[in-house]
Amino acid sequence: MQKEDLDYFREWFFEYVNRFFSSDSFIRENIELKIEHTRRVCENILLIAKSEKISEKECILAETIALFHDLGRFEQFTKYNTFNDSESENHAILGVKILNKEGILTRLPGNEIRLILKAVEYHNLMEIPGNVALSDKLHFFCRLIRDADKIDILRLASEGYAEEEKCRNPALELYLPDTKGYSEPMVSEILNNRMARIEDMKNRNDIKLLRLSWIFDLNFPVTFTLLKEYGYLESIISSLPESKETEVLKKHLEKYLDTIESEARSFS
């Protein structure tokens, strides 16, 4: 894969998303939000990829995956007015369908096409499918896009919670109610060092826990470095309601991050 391929894909991407601009301010706001998200995920994936010292061609491949990872979001939101896959359709699979329908990847070799499509398809799963071997190139690129995507969603969340009293975007909160407390399964998963599940969410506090639980699915040392540098996790934690349960969760998350940091130092 060459730089001119990526340039071509970028040009096509912006022509494609321009189809979804609307006079409806809410739709326009969320289309613009996803364009900006895509731009930042492209930046994130390059930071992570370069930290792993991969080749320039592999960096270009990684950025292409980032460019297309949320392609399905634009049609999804315009059609359903939601980013909730369970109430519309799986945006990753939709993105793969669009890429196949548009034939945009046909200029690439078959092995690169398959890798891009699978990395897009798998980026939003709870975990990378077990049939993808750890030694497989696809497994590496899946981990890259999953980390790059999560970092920017955490950025969006932390910025949103800092401004939530002024302006809220209900689409980002999946239209969940602003009620008290947490759902027990969300708390239990975090205390067991596992990612929480979307289907267990009942309110806006739960979606905050869901995002915090993503730290258990991060893959690269530089990802943790970026999260610490930007303070996204601390910002989200500080937005949680004050309670004994919150304090237990906060201490557990901090202990986990301290452990990860200590392990990283021991291997450096």
Side-chain angles (χ1 to χ4, degrees), residues 22 82 99 116 127 146 148 190:
S22 169
T82 184
L99 287 169
I116 292 167
E127 57 187 8
R146 289 164 73 87
I190 288 178

Side-chain angles (χ1 to χ4, degrees), residues 128 134 138-148 219-220:
I128 300 169
L134 293 176
L138 173 60
H139 197 278
F140 175 76
F141 282 92
C142 283
R143 289 185 292 135
L144 279 180
I145 187 57
R146 289 164 73 87
D147 273 28
N219 300 281
F220 298 97

Side-chain angles (χ1 to χ4, degrees), residues 117-150:
L117 292 176
K118 285 300 179 184
V120 170
E121 180 182 349
Y122 296 159
H123 86 272
N124 67 330
L125 296 179
M126 272 291 289
E127 57 187 8
I128 300 169
N131 62 347
V132 181
L134 293 176
S135 59
D136 196 314
K137 193 174 181 179
L138 173 60
H139 197 278
F140 175 76
F141 282 92
C142 283
R143 289 185 292 135
L144 279 180
I145 187 57
R146 289 164 73 87
D147 273 28
D149 189 29
K150 286 181 174 71

Side-chain angles (χ1 to χ4, degrees), residues 68-230:
F68 291 141
H69 84 285
D70 263 0
L71 192 67
R73 286 297 196 192
F74 302 97
E75 181 176 322
Q76 178 192 45
F77 196 82
T78 303
K79 185 175 180 180
Y80 301 102
N81 246 38
T82 184
F83 291 129
N84 190 335
D85 288 5
S86 65
E87 294 181 359
S88 52
E89 56 185 304
N90 185 317
H91 73 279
I93 293 175
L94 179 57
V96 169
K97 289 178 181 177
I98 293 165
L99 287 169
N100 283 327
K101 179 182 177 182
E102 296 284 338
I104 185 67
L105 298 177
T106 54
R107 62 190 284 136
L108 299 178
N111 62 320
E112 291 183 348
I113 293 174
R114 286 190 292 274
L115 191 150
I116 292 167
L117 292 176
K118 285 300 179 184
V120 170
E121 180 182 349
Y122 296 159
H123 86 272
N124 67 330
L125 296 179
M126 272 291 289
E127 57 187 8
I128 300 169
N131 62 347
V132 181
L134 293 176
S135 59
D136 196 314
K137 193 174 181 179
L138 173 60
H139 197 278
F140 175 76
F141 282 92
C142 283
R143 289 185 292 135
L144 279 180
I145 187 57
R146 289 164 73 87
D147 273 28
D149 189 29
K150 286 181 174 71
I151 292 173
D152 193 61
I153 297 174
L154 290 169
R155 173 194 65 83
L156 275 168
S158 65
E159 291 178 357
Y161 297 143
E163 299 289 326
E164 65 182 338
E165 297 307 318
K166 298 178 184 177
C167 180
R168 288 181 178 177
N169 183 342
L172 291 180
E173 304 304 321
L174 306 182
Y175 303 98
L176 289 168
D178 191 10
T179 53
K180 295 180 179 180
Y182 308 108
S183 298
E184 192 281 329
M186 306 295 290
V187 175
S188 177
E189 293 298 313
I190 288 178
L191 294 180
N192 284 287
N193 293 354
R194 295 192 295 257
M195 280 207 303
R197 296 179 177 275
I198 290 176
E199 55 265 33
D200 290 327
M201 296 190 306
K202 298 293 187 290
N203 62 19
R204 292 184 70 251
N205 289 334
D206 286 344
I207 201 168
K208 294 178 181 181
L209 294 191
L210 177 81
R211 288 162 178 164
L212 289 169
S213 77
W214 288 347
I215 66 171
F216 305 122
D217 187 51
L218 298 180
N219 300 281
F220 298 97
V222 72
T223 308
F224 288 96
T225 300
L226 290 170
L227 287 179
K228 185 173 182 179
E229 179 182 336
Y230 297 144

